[in-house]
């Protein structure tokens, strides 16, 4: 935040927060962040600096990150803090927001959207101010959760994952599912035709490496089928201890956020809903996802950036071979 002078205890830019150089901790009401492996890993996927011979490269590897802490070192986040963080991000110039967080509710999504305000006003504010939002769809789509939570808990069409469910209400929001190294749906990823798009999020670390003399598969545990990214300094297991592996739709969502940042950087006229349309129009239709995502859309940065670089307005999306022919209001893509 170039409007703040570090450490002088003054709200130099007049936004109501003192010394918010890099963002704000909404739990403790301070610019000091709590070191968190999950958030740091997510941030690195979206925007770790690239081409510098250090560690990993984020998807948008030359960007600015606004760090908004809504957990304060705890496992759960308060809805009010999340909403306040969205308002803050919009007011302070964010063009893309990533939310790698959420909870699962045993209620019909439409019933939820019709009766629960929740984050609705904050998301409406982001929509009105042309901010794109990527949200992790959730990690309950595996057999263990079906047995131990409730049957089909991971079905995004039957049950509510908040706040990702708001992708069904706003055209500037993408709910993101996860694919694995073989381009199948990650074993844990929530699924359904209401999920906007899929991106790499990694999967379990046990992979087949050979067969024994009787034809039985031999497995080893390896982190290399997960996602490698940044972690708080000295807490990792890779390289100099600043990097580590993990998996989840939380890892897939910042891939989409990074892509959205690159798309919007190509042409200032590309709106947030148009960004979502470009992401989906440039996606490949991957049958291996087995209807785990709307129209089996799997993100493809190359094709989406081609669309963004040649952007002439919504007419740019006509005739691109999508299963449903786009219309000028982009309703088939957002």
């Amino acid at each position: 935040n170039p409007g703040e002078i570090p450490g002088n205890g003054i709200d130099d830019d007049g936004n109501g927060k003192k010394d918010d150089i890099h963002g704000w901790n909404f739990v403790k009401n301070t610019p000091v962040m709590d070191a968190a492996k999950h958030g740091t890993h997510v941030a690195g996927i979206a925007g770790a600096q690239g081409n510098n011979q250090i560690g990993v490269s984020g998807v948008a590897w030359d960007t600015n990150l606004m760090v908004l802490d809504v957990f304060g070192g705890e496992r759960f986040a308060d809805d009010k803090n999340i909403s306040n963080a969205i308002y803050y991000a919009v007011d302070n110039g964010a063009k893309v927001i990533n939310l790698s967080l959420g909870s699962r509710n045993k209620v019909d999504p439409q019933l939820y959207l019709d009766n629960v305000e929740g984050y609705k006003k904050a998301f409406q504010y982001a929509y009105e101010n042309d901010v794109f939002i990527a949200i992790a769809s959730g990690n309950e789509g595996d057999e263990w959760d079906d047995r131990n939570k409730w049957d089909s808990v991971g079905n995004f069409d039957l049950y509510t994952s908040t706040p990702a469910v708001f992708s069904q209400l706003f055209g500037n929001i993408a709910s993101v599912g996860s694919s694995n190294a073989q381009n199948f749906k990650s074993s844990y990823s929530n699924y359904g035709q209401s999920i906007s798009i899929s991106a790499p999020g990694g999967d379990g670390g046990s992979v087949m490496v050979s067969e024994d003399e009787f034809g039985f598969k031999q497995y080893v545990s390896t982190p290399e089928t997960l996602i490698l990214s940044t972690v708080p300094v000295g807490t990792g297991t890779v390289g100099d201890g600043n990097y580590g592996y993990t998996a989840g739709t939380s890892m897939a969502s910042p891939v989409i956020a990074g892509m959205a940042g690159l798309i919007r950087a190509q042409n200032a006229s590309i709106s947030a809903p148009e960004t979502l349309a470009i992401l989906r129009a440039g996606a490949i239709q991957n049958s291996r996802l087995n209807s785990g995502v709307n129209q089996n859309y799997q993100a493809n940065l190359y094709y989406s950036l081609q669309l963004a670089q040649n952007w002439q307005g919504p007419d740019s999306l006509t005739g691109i071979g999508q299963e449903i022919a786009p219309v000028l209001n982009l309703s088939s893509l957002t």
Side-chain angles (χ1 to χ4, degrees), residues 60-102:
W61 50 264
D62 183 13
T63 191
N64 292 318
L65 295 177
M66 183 188 298
V67 183
L68 306 180
D69 189 343
V70 296
F71 287 89
E74 301 298 326
R75 181 179 177 186
F76 299 102
D78 184 85
D79 290 0
K80 184 177 180 181
N81 286 332
I82 297 172
S83 293
N84 287 339
I86 293 170
Y87 282 114
Y88 176 98
V90 174
D91 288 341
N92 287 277
K95 292 296 184 183
V96 175
I97 294 173
N98 180 74
L99 293 172
S100 287
L101 48 79

mmCIF file of all heavy atoms in Angstrom, residues 60-102:
data_model
loop_
_atom_site.group_PDB
_atom_site.id
_atom_site.type_symbol
_atom_site.label_atom_id
_atom_site.label_comp_id
_atom_site.label_asym_id
_atom_site.label_seq_id
_atom_site.Cartn_x
_atom_site.Cartn_y
_atom_site.Cartn_z
ATOM 1 N N ALA A 60 0.212 -15.678 -11.543
ATOM 2 C CA ALA A 60 0.461 -14.278 -11.913
ATOM 3 C C ALA A 60 1.709 -13.855 -11.153
ATOM 4 O O ALA A 60 1.635 -13.324 -10.052
ATOM 5 C CB ALA A 60 -0.734 -13.407 -11.550
ATOM 6 N N TRP A 61 2.883 -14.103 -11.750
ATOM 7 C CA TRP A 61 4.117 -14.039 -10.968
ATOM 8 C C TRP A 61 4.788 -12.674 -10.949
ATOM 9 O O TRP A 61 5.931 -12.545 -10.547
ATOM 10 C CB TRP A 61 5.096 -15.117 -11.385
ATOM 11 C CG TRP A 61 5.402 -15.269 -12.849
ATOM 12 C CD1 TRP A 61 4.818 -16.146 -13.719
ATOM 13 C CD2 TRP A 61 6.394 -14.567 -13.601
ATOM 14 N NE1 TRP A 61 5.385 -16.016 -14.963
ATOM 15 C CE2 TRP A 61 6.350 -15.060 -14.919
ATOM 16 C CE3 TRP A 61 7.305 -13.552 -13.289
ATOM 17 C CZ2 TRP A 61 7.181 -14.587 -15.931
ATOM 18 C CZ3 TRP A 61 8.139 -13.082 -14.293
ATOM 19 C CH2 TRP A 61 8.070 -13.602 -15.603
ATOM 20 N N ASP A 62 4.055 -11.631 -11.361
ATOM 21 C CA ASP A 62 4.537 -10.262 -11.206
ATOM 22 C C ASP A 62 3.330 -9.414 -10.823
ATOM 23 O O ASP A 62 2.715 -8.763 -11.652
ATOM 24 C CB ASP A 62 5.150 -9.773 -12.515
ATOM 25 C CG ASP A 62 5.738 -8.362 -12.388
ATOM 26 O OD1 ASP A 62 5.878 -7.887 -11.246
ATOM 27 O OD2 ASP A 62 6.032 -7.749 -13.425
ATOM 28 N N THR A 63 2.977 -9.448 -9.558
ATOM 29 C CA THR A 63 1.715 -8.850 -9.123
ATOM 30 C C THR A 63 1.840 -8.305 -7.708
ATOM 31 O O THR A 63 2.864 -8.496 -7.049
ATOM 32 C CB THR A 63 0.572 -9.900 -9.207
ATOM 33 O OG1 THR A 63 -0.680 -9.246 -9.026
ATOM 34 C CG2 THR A 63 0.734 -10.984 -8.151
ATOM 35 N N ASN A 64 0.816 -7.628 -7.255
ATOM 36 C CA ASN A 64 0.744 -7.148 -5.875
ATOM 37 C C ASN A 64 -0.273 -7.975 -5.108
ATOM 38 O O ASN A 64 -1.366 -8.232 -5.610
ATOM 39 C CB ASN A 64 0.319 -5.678 -5.836
ATOM 40 C CG ASN A 64 1.383 -4.759 -6.403
ATOM 41 O OD1 ASN A 64 2.560 -4.935 -6.137
ATOM 42 N ND2 ASN A 64 0.963 -3.774 -7.185
ATOM 43 N N LEU A 65 0.077 -8.370 -3.895
ATOM 44 C CA LEU A 65 -0.820 -9.143 -3.044
ATOM 45 C C LEU A 65 -1.288 -8.302 -1.863
ATOM 46 O O LEU A 65 -0.480 -7.677 -1.179
ATOM 47 C CB LEU A 65 -0.124 -10.404 -2.513
ATOM 48 C CG LEU A 65 0.287 -11.451 -3.536
ATOM 49 C CD1 LEU A 65 1.039 -12.593 -2.849
ATOM 50 C CD2 LEU A 65 -0.917 -12.002 -4.277
ATOM 51 N N MET A 66 -2.588 -8.285 -1.631
ATOM 52 C CA MET A 66 -3.175 -7.626 -0.472
ATOM 53 C C MET A 66 -3.571 -8.744 0.505
ATOM 54 O O MET A 66 -4.458 -9.546 0.219
ATOM 55 C CB MET A 66 -4.415 -6.824 -0.905
ATOM 56 C CG MET A 66 -5.079 -6.043 0.217
ATOM 57 S SD MET A 66 -6.653 -5.321 -0.338
ATOM 58 C CE MET A 66 -6.113 -4.236 -1.651
ATOM 59 N N VAL A 67 -2.902 -8.800 1.637
ATOM 60 C CA VAL A 67 -3.092 -9.915 2.574
ATOM 61 C C VAL A 67 -4.153 -9.546 3.604
ATOM 62 O O VAL A 67 -3.980 -8.611 4.377
ATOM 63 C CB VAL A 67 -1.770 -10.260 3.283
ATOM 64 C CG1 VAL A 67 -1.963 -11.470 4.187
ATOM 65 C CG2 VAL A 67 -0.674 -10.530 2.257
ATOM 66 N N LEU A 68 -5.256 -10.291 3.616
ATOM 67 C CA LEU A 68 -6.360 -10.014 4.536
ATOM 68 C C LEU A 68 -6.587 -11.248 5.406
ATOM 69 O O LEU A 68 -7.066 -12.274 4.932
ATOM 70 C CB LEU A 68 -7.620 -9.633 3.759
ATOM 71 C CG LEU A 68 -7.415 -8.479 2.761
ATOM 72 C CD1 LEU A 68 -8.712 -8.166 2.039
ATOM 73 C CD2 LEU A 68 -6.876 -7.243 3.454
ATOM 74 N N ASP A 69 -6.245 -11.123 6.678
ATOM 75 C CA ASP A 69 -6.295 -12.241 7.623
ATOM 76 C C ASP A 69 -7.647 -12.251 8.328
ATOM 77 O O ASP A 69 -7.974 -11.326 9.080
ATOM 78 C CB ASP A 69 -5.158 -12.085 8.635
ATOM 79 C CG ASP A 69 -4.985 -13.298 9.534
ATOM 80 O OD1 ASP A 69 -5.908 -14.122 9.611
ATOM 81 O OD2 ASP A 69 -3.920 -13.403 10.162
ATOM 82 N N VAL A 70 -8.433 -13.289 8.091
ATOM 83 C CA VAL A 70 -9.743 -13.398 8.741
ATOM 84 C C VAL A 70 -9.782 -14.566 9.730
ATOM 85 O O VAL A 70 -10.834 -14.860 10.308
ATOM 86 C CB VAL A 70 -10.875 -13.558 7.701
ATOM 87 C CG1 VAL A 70 -10.968 -12.320 6.833
ATOM 88 C CG2 VAL A 70 -10.679 -14.806 6.840
ATOM 89 N N PHE A 71 -8.636 -15.231 9.923
ATOM 90 C CA PHE A 71 -8.575 -16.362 10.847
ATOM 91 C C PHE A 71 -7.858 -16.013 12.154
ATOM 92 O O PHE A 71 -8.186 -16.565 13.200
ATOM 93 C CB PHE A 71 -7.873 -17.557 10.191
ATOM 94 C CG PHE A 71 -8.717 -18.239 9.155
ATOM 95 C CD1 PHE A 71 -8.680 -17.835 7.835
ATOM 96 C CD2 PHE A 71 -9.563 -19.282 9.503
ATOM 97 C CE1 PHE A 71 -9.469 -18.448 6.876
ATOM 98 C CE2 PHE A 71 -10.355 -19.906 8.552
ATOM 99 C CZ PHE A 71 -10.303 -19.489 7.230
ATOM 100 N N GLY A 72 -6.883 -15.121 12.086
ATOM 101 C CA GLY A 72 -6.169 -14.718 13.292
ATOM 102 C C GLY A 72 -5.525 -15.869 14.022
ATOM 103 O O GLY A 72 -5.452 -15.872 15.250
ATOM 104 N N GLY A 73 -5.038 -16.849 13.280
ATOM 105 C CA GLY A 73 -4.380 -17.999 13.887
ATOM 106 C C GLY A 73 -5.317 -19.098 14.334
ATOM 107 O O GLY A 73 -4.868 -20.137 14.820
ATOM 108 N N GLU A 74 -6.630 -18.899 14.196
ATOM 109 C CA GLU A 74 -7.609 -19.912 14.601
ATOM 110 C C GLU A 74 -8.041 -20.753 13.402
ATOM 111 O O GLU A 74 -7.770 -20.410 12.246
ATOM 112 C CB GLU A 74 -8.828 -19.239 15.232
ATOM 113 C CG GLU A 74 -8.512 -18.403 16.456
ATOM 114 C CD GLU A 74 -7.925 -19.227 17.591
ATOM 115 O OE1 GLU A 74 -8.320 -20.403 17.736
ATOM 116 O OE2 GLU A 74 -7.073 -18.695 18.330
ATOM 117 N N ARG A 75 -8.777 -21.831 13.680
ATOM 118 C CA ARG A 75 -9.202 -22.729 12.613
ATOM 119 C C ARG A 75 -10.409 -22.180 11.850
ATOM 120 O O ARG A 75 -10.563 -22.439 10.654
ATOM 121 C CB ARG A 75 -9.547 -24.103 13.201
ATOM 122 C CG ARG A 75 -9.976 -25.120 12.156
ATOM 123 C CD ARG A 75 -10.282 -26.466 12.771
ATOM 124 N NE ARG A 75 -10.757 -27.422 11.766
ATOM 125 C CZ ARG A 75 -11.205 -28.635 12.038
ATOM 126 N NH1 ARG A 75 -11.238 -29.057 13.298
ATOM 127 N NH2 ARG A 75 -11.611 -29.439 11.068
ATOM 128 N N PHE A 76 -11.261 -21.426 12.528
ATOM 129 C CA PHE A 76 -12.497 -20.957 11.916
ATOM 130 C C PHE A 76 -12.485 -19.437 11.772
ATOM 131 O O PHE A 76 -11.838 -18.723 12.538
ATOM 132 C CB PHE A 76 -13.709 -21.392 12.755
ATOM 133 C CG PHE A 76 -13.847 -22.883 12.870
ATOM 134 C CD1 PHE A 76 -13.460 -23.540 14.027
ATOM 135 C CD2 PHE A 76 -14.337 -23.630 11.812
ATOM 136 C CE1 PHE A 76 -13.571 -24.919 14.138
ATOM 137 C CE2 PHE A 76 -14.450 -25.008 11.906
ATOM 138 C CZ PHE A 76 -14.068 -25.656 13.063
ATOM 139 N N ALA A 77 -13.229 -18.956 10.767
ATOM 140 C CA ALA A 77 -13.329 -17.521 10.510
ATOM 141 C C ALA A 77 -14.767 -17.065 10.700
ATOM 142 O O ALA A 77 -15.712 -17.793 10.378
ATOM 143 C CB ALA A 77 -12.858 -17.206 9.092
ATOM 144 N N ASP A 78 -14.925 -15.855 11.215
ATOM 145 C CA ASP A 78 -16.245 -15.274 11.428
ATOM 146 C C ASP A 78 -16.749 -14.640 10.131
ATOM 147 O O ASP A 78 -16.013 -13.956 9.430
ATOM 148 C CB ASP A 78 -16.148 -14.217 12.525
ATOM 149 C CG ASP A 78 -17.500 -13.628 12.864
ATOM 150 O OD1 ASP A 78 -18.218 -14.218 13.692
ATOM 151 O OD2 ASP A 78 -17.840 -12.574 12.294
ATOM 152 N N ASP A 79 -18.039 -14.865 9.825
ATOM 153 C CA ASP A 79 -18.627 -14.327 8.592
ATOM 154 C C ASP A 79 -18.457 -12.808 8.505
ATOM 155 O O ASP A 79 -18.209 -12.259 7.424
ATOM 156 C CB ASP A 79 -20.114 -14.669 8.511
ATOM 157 C CG ASP A 79 -20.362 -16.144 8.270
ATOM 158 O OD1 ASP A 79 -19.378 -16.894 8.157
ATOM 159 O OD2 ASP A 79 -21.541 -16.546 8.196
ATOM 160 N N LYS A 80 -18.595 -12.126 9.631
ATOM 161 C CA LYS A 80 -18.489 -10.670 9.633
ATOM 162 C C LYS A 80 -17.088 -10.231 9.219
ATOM 163 O O LYS A 80 -16.934 -9.263 8.452
ATOM 164 C CB LYS A 80 -18.840 -10.108 11.013
ATOM 165 C CG LYS A 80 -18.834 -8.588 11.067
ATOM 166 C CD LYS A 80 -19.255 -8.077 12.437
ATOM 167 C CE LYS A 80 -19.251 -6.544 12.477
ATOM 168 N NZ LYS A 80 -19.639 -6.044 13.823
ATOM 169 N N ASN A 81 -16.062 -10.922 9.716
ATOM 170 C CA ASN A 81 -14.693 -10.573 9.340
ATOM 171 C C ASN A 81 -14.451 -10.812 7.856
ATOM 172 O O ASN A 81 -13.759 -10.029 7.194
ATOM 173 C CB ASN A 81 -13.696 -11.378 10.172
ATOM 174 C CG ASN A 81 -13.611 -10.888 11.608
ATOM 175 O OD1 ASN A 81 -13.848 -9.720 11.896
ATOM 176 N ND2 ASN A 81 -13.272 -11.781 12.526
ATOM 177 N N ILE A 82 -15.015 -11.889 7.338
ATOM 178 C CA ILE A 82 -14.858 -12.171 5.904
ATOM 179 C C ILE A 82 -15.528 -11.082 5.083
ATOM 180 O O ILE A 82 -14.958 -10.567 4.110
ATOM 181 C CB ILE A 82 -15.429 -13.552 5.562
ATOM 182 C CG1 ILE A 82 -14.646 -14.649 6.293
ATOM 183 C CG2 ILE A 82 -15.374 -13.797 4.055
ATOM 184 C CD1 ILE A 82 -15.263 -16.032 6.177
ATOM 185 N N SER A 83 -16.744 -10.702 5.456
ATOM 186 C CA SER A 83 -17.445 -9.632 4.739
ATOM 187 C C SER A 83 -16.672 -8.324 4.808
ATOM 188 O O SER A 83 -16.534 -7.611 3.802
ATOM 189 C CB SER A 83 -18.853 -9.445 5.318
ATOM 190 O OG SER A 83 -19.663 -10.571 5.057
ATOM 191 N N ASN A 84 -16.172 -7.994 5.998
ATOM 192 C CA ASN A 84 -15.405 -6.755 6.153
ATOM 193 C C ASN A 84 -14.141 -6.781 5.297
ATOM 194 O O ASN A 84 -13.729 -5.744 4.745
ATOM 195 C CB ASN A 84 -15.045 -6.526 7.615
ATOM 196 C CG ASN A 84 -16.246 -6.094 8.447
ATOM 197 O OD1 ASN A 84 -17.236 -5.595 7.916
ATOM 198 N ND2 ASN A 84 -16.168 -6.290 9.750
ATOM 199 N N ALA A 85 -13.531 -7.946 5.183
ATOM 200 C CA ALA A 85 -12.333 -8.075 4.352
ATOM 201 C C ALA A 85 -12.666 -7.855 2.876
ATOM 202 O O ALA A 85 -11.880 -7.250 2.132
ATOM 203 C CB ALA A 85 -11.690 -9.445 4.555
ATOM 204 N N ILE A 86 -13.832 -8.331 2.443
ATOM 205 C CA ILE A 86 -14.253 -8.118 1.055
ATOM 206 C C ILE A 86 -14.463 -6.624 0.798
ATOM 207 O O ILE A 86 -13.989 -6.077 -0.207
ATOM 208 C CB ILE A 86 -15.530 -8.918 0.753
ATOM 209 C CG1 ILE A 86 -15.231 -10.424 0.795
ATOM 210 C CG2 ILE A 86 -16.103 -8.531 -0.615
ATOM 211 C CD1 ILE A 86 -16.463 -11.299 0.747
ATOM 212 N N TYR A 87 -15.175 -5.946 1.722
ATOM 213 C CA TYR A 87 -15.373 -4.505 1.581
ATOM 214 C C TYR A 87 -14.026 -3.771 1.511
ATOM 215 O O TYR A 87 -13.824 -2.878 0.685
ATOM 216 C CB TYR A 87 -16.189 -3.953 2.753
ATOM 217 C CG TYR A 87 -17.671 -4.215 2.669
ATOM 218 C CD1 TYR A 87 -18.310 -5.046 3.590
ATOM 219 C CD2 TYR A 87 -18.448 -3.615 1.682
ATOM 220 C CE1 TYR A 87 -19.682 -5.283 3.528
ATOM 221 C CE2 TYR A 87 -19.820 -3.838 1.606
ATOM 222 C CZ TYR A 87 -20.429 -4.675 2.530
ATOM 223 O OH TYR A 87 -21.779 -4.900 2.459
ATOM 224 N N TYR A 88 -13.110 -4.151 2.393
ATOM 225 C CA TYR A 88 -11.794 -3.515 2.438
ATOM 226 C C TYR A 88 -11.064 -3.722 1.110
ATOM 227 O O TYR A 88 -10.476 -2.781 0.559
ATOM 228 C CB TYR A 88 -10.978 -4.099 3.596
ATOM 229 C CG TYR A 88 -9.561 -3.586 3.702
ATOM 230 C CD1 TYR A 88 -9.231 -2.563 4.573
ATOM 231 C CD2 TYR A 88 -8.537 -4.152 2.932
ATOM 232 C CE1 TYR A 88 -7.919 -2.099 4.679
ATOM 233 C CE2 TYR A 88 -7.231 -3.694 3.018
ATOM 234 C CZ TYR A 88 -6.926 -2.674 3.899
ATOM 235 O OH TYR A 88 -5.637 -2.221 3.986
ATOM 236 N N ALA A 89 -11.074 -4.946 0.603
ATOM 237 C CA ALA A 89 -10.368 -5.249 -0.648
ATOM 238 C C ALA A 89 -10.914 -4.405 -1.790
ATOM 239 O O ALA A 89 -10.157 -3.830 -2.579
ATOM 240 C CB ALA A 89 -10.502 -6.740 -0.971
ATOM 241 N N VAL A 90 -12.240 -4.326 -1.871
ATOM 242 C CA VAL A 90 -12.857 -3.530 -2.933
ATOM 243 C C VAL A 90 -12.486 -2.063 -2.785
ATOM 244 O O VAL A 90 -12.077 -1.410 -3.757
ATOM 245 C CB VAL A 90 -14.391 -3.709 -2.920
ATOM 246 C CG1 VAL A 90 -15.048 -2.779 -3.932
ATOM 247 C CG2 VAL A 90 -14.773 -5.158 -3.209
ATOM 248 N N ASP A 91 -12.604 -1.538 -1.589
ATOM 249 C CA ASP A 91 -12.348 -0.114 -1.353
ATOM 250 C C ASP A 91 -10.893 0.266 -1.577
ATOM 251 O O ASP A 91 -10.589 1.431 -1.874
ATOM 252 C CB ASP A 91 -12.752 0.267 0.074
ATOM 253 C CG ASP A 91 -14.260 0.304 0.271
ATOM 254 O OD1 ASP A 91 -14.993 0.390 -0.742
ATOM 255 O OD2 ASP A 91 -14.707 0.235 1.434
ATOM 256 N N ASN A 92 -9.994 -0.695 -1.432
ATOM 257 C CA ASN A 92 -8.570 -0.396 -1.553
ATOM 258 C C ASN A 92 -7.972 -0.863 -2.874
ATOM 259 O O ASN A 92 -6.753 -1.011 -3.001
ATOM 260 C CB ASN A 92 -7.812 -0.977 -0.362
ATOM 261 C CG ASN A 92 -8.076 -0.191 0.913
ATOM 262 O OD1 ASN A 92 -7.445 0.837 1.165
ATOM 263 N ND2 ASN A 92 -9.023 -0.648 1.715
ATOM 264 N N GLY A 93 -8.840 -1.107 -3.858
ATOM 265 C CA GLY A 93 -8.355 -1.249 -5.229
ATOM 266 C C GLY A 93 -8.123 -2.638 -5.755
ATOM 267 O O GLY A 93 -7.577 -2.791 -6.854
ATOM 268 N N ALA A 94 -8.519 -3.686 -5.022
ATOM 269 C CA ALA A 94 -8.339 -5.047 -5.547
ATOM 270 C C ALA A 94 -9.181 -5.248 -6.803
ATOM 271 O O ALA A 94 -10.338 -4.832 -6.855
ATOM 272 C CB ALA A 94 -8.731 -6.078 -4.491
ATOM 273 N N LYS A 95 -8.605 -5.886 -7.809
ATOM 274 C CA LYS A 95 -9.344 -6.265 -9.011
ATOM 275 C C LYS A 95 -9.755 -7.733 -8.968
ATOM 276 O O LYS A 95 -10.675 -8.154 -9.677
ATOM 277 C CB LYS A 95 -8.487 -6.022 -10.258
ATOM 278 C CG LYS A 95 -8.230 -4.550 -10.537
ATOM 279 C CD LYS A 95 -9.519 -3.811 -10.852
ATOM 280 C CE LYS A 95 -9.254 -2.366 -11.230
ATOM 281 N NZ LYS A 95 -10.523 -1.624 -11.459
ATOM 282 N N VAL A 96 -9.055 -8.513 -8.148
ATOM 283 C CA VAL A 96 -9.332 -9.943 -7.996
ATOM 284 C C VAL A 96 -9.233 -10.292 -6.522
ATOM 285 O O VAL A 96 -8.297 -9.876 -5.839
ATOM 286 C CB VAL A 96 -8.329 -10.801 -8.801
ATOM 287 C CG1 VAL A 96 -8.555 -12.286 -8.538
ATOM 288 C CG2 VAL A 96 -8.426 -10.506 -10.294
ATOM 289 N N ILE A 97 -10.204 -11.058 -6.037
ATOM 290 C CA ILE A 97 -10.195 -11.568 -4.659
ATOM 291 C C ILE A 97 -10.201 -13.089 -4.714
ATOM 292 O O ILE A 97 -10.925 -13.687 -5.519
ATOM 293 C CB ILE A 97 -11.428 -11.078 -3.876
ATOM 294 C CG1 ILE A 97 -11.387 -9.561 -3.689
ATOM 295 C CG2 ILE A 97 -11.528 -11.768 -2.515
ATOM 296 C CD1 ILE A 97 -12.651 -8.980 -3.073
ATOM 297 N N ASN A 98 -9.398 -13.714 -3.870
ATOM 298 C CA ASN A 98 -9.447 -15.175 -3.716
ATOM 299 C C ASN A 98 -9.920 -15.518 -2.309
ATOM 300 O O ASN A 98 -9.434 -14.955 -1.329
ATOM 301 C CB ASN A 98 -8.072 -15.801 -3.951
ATOM 302 C CG ASN A 98 -8.124 -17.308 -3.796
ATOM 303 O OD1 ASN A 98 -8.632 -18.004 -4.660
ATOM 304 N ND2 ASN A 98 -7.625 -17.814 -2.671
ATOM 305 N N LEU A 99 -10.853 -16.461 -2.219
ATOM 306 C CA LEU A 99 -11.349 -16.952 -0.937
ATOM 307 C C LEU A 99 -11.164 -18.469 -0.881
ATOM 308 O O LEU A 99 -11.980 -19.228 -1.396
ATOM 309 C CB LEU A 99 -12.829 -16.601 -0.759
ATOM 310 C CG LEU A 99 -13.167 -15.120 -0.608
ATOM 311 C CD1 LEU A 99 -14.675 -14.911 -0.648
ATOM 312 C CD2 LEU A 99 -12.596 -14.555 0.675
ATOM 313 N N SER A 100 -10.080 -18.898 -0.285
ATOM 314 C CA SER A 100 -9.837 -20.327 -0.084
ATOM 315 C C SER A 100 -10.314 -20.702 1.314
ATOM 316 O O SER A 100 -9.526 -20.980 2.224
ATOM 317 C CB SER A 100 -8.352 -20.654 -0.276
ATOM 318 O OG SER A 100 -8.006 -20.606 -1.637
ATOM 319 N N LEU A 101 -11.625 -20.677 1.478
ATOM 320 C CA LEU A 101 -12.241 -20.970 2.769
ATOM 321 C C LEU A 101 -13.695 -21.353 2.528
ATOM 322 O O LEU A 101 -14.228 -21.134 1.443
ATOM 323 C CB LEU A 101 -12.146 -19.756 3.703
ATOM 324 C CG LEU A 101 -12.564 -18.379 3.150
ATOM 325 C CD1 LEU A 101 -14.069 -18.197 3.121
ATOM 326 C CD2 LEU A 101 -11.927 -17.272 3.974
ATOM 327 N N GLY A 102 -14.325 -21.937 3.536
ATOM 328 C CA GLY A 102 -15.739 -22.263 3.377
ATOM 329 C C GLY A 102 -16.216 -23.293 4.373
ATOM 330 O O GLY A 102 -15.444 -23.866 5.142
#
